[in-house]
């Protein structure tokens, strides 16, 4: 996309509320960076709320409905030199039921897995690290879960 209009993407870091994040490995059919691990994302459709877009995309990619959605940041994503891709990424933390997750788009993903912050798979997608950083910052600011 050269000289075009920036697009809006809803990026989501799915988690199990216990500290693990869900990542998917991009298959050979993915739009870019096949073989890398990534959190989820999808374009915002005209007339759609952010939350509706996240719910739709989480279901499409992982076959599960969100239990909770929280906006954790916004990024201006410029790729290429000169810039060939420009996205405004609105980033969300999304709680999901870990046991219900499955690959919903096998043409785009060939594996999914749950990972702790100190045991992330490699290689990560070029845009995934910043989304995980926002998620980590959000968790650091959150009070501990009540387990009583």
């Amino acid at each position: 996309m050269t000289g075009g209009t920036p697009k809006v993407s809803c990026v989501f870091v799915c988690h199990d509320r216990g500290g693990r994040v869900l990542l998917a490995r991009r298959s050979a059919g993915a739009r870019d960076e096949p073989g890398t691990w990534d959190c989820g994302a999808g374009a915002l459709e005209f007339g759609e709320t952010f939350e509706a877009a996240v719910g739709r995309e989480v279901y499409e990619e992982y076959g599960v409905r969100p239990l909770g959605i929280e906006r954790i940041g916004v990024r201006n994503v410029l790729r290429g030199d000169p810039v060939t891709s420009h996205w405004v990424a609105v980033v969300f933390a999304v709680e999901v039921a870990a046991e219900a997750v499955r690959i919903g788009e096998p043409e785009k993903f060939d594996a999914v897995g749950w990972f702790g912050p100190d045991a992330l798979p490699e290689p990560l997608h070029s845009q995934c690290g910043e989304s995980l950083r926002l998620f980590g910052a959000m968790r650091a600011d959150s009070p501990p879960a009540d387990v009583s």
Side-chain angles (χ1 to χ4, degrees), residues 16-146:
D16 65 357
R17 199 173 212 198
R20 295 184 308 164
V21 295
L22 177 66
L23 298 176
R25 188 173 58 204
R26 299 169 73 85
S27 70
R31 180 183 66 233
D32 63 10
E33 301 185 46
T36 60
W37 290 87
D38 200 5
C39 50
L44 181 70
E45 295 179 357
F46 183 82
E48 192 173 41
T49 66
F50 292 137
E51 292 77 12
V54 169
R56 174 180 52 77
E57 288 288 345
V58 167
Y59 186 75
E60 288 174 5
E61 292 185 15
Y62 301 130
V64 65
R65 301 284 181 201
L67 300 173
I69 299 172
E70 181 180 355
R71 187 173 51 204
I72 59 174
V74 177
R75 299 184 52 231
N76 189 34
V77 180
L78 303 171
R79 296 181 77 187
D81 185 17
V83 174
T84 56
S85 175
H86 186 181
W87 291 85
V88 175
V90 185
V91 186
F92 296 85
V94 178
E95 183 182 352
V96 297
E99 68 281 357
V101 169
R102 62 174 175 76
I103 296 175
E105 295 179 318
E107 69 281 3
K108 295 180 183 177
F109 307 109
D110 59 18
V112 294
W114 287 96
F115 303 94
D118 298 327
L120 297 174
E122 293 183 358
L124 288 177
H125 185 276
S126 64
Q127 300 302 308
C128 185
E130 188 61 22
S131 297
L132 292 175
R133 187 193 68 72
L134 288 170
F135 177 73
M138 179 272 306
R139 287 191 49 84
D141 290 340
S142 298
D146 182 8

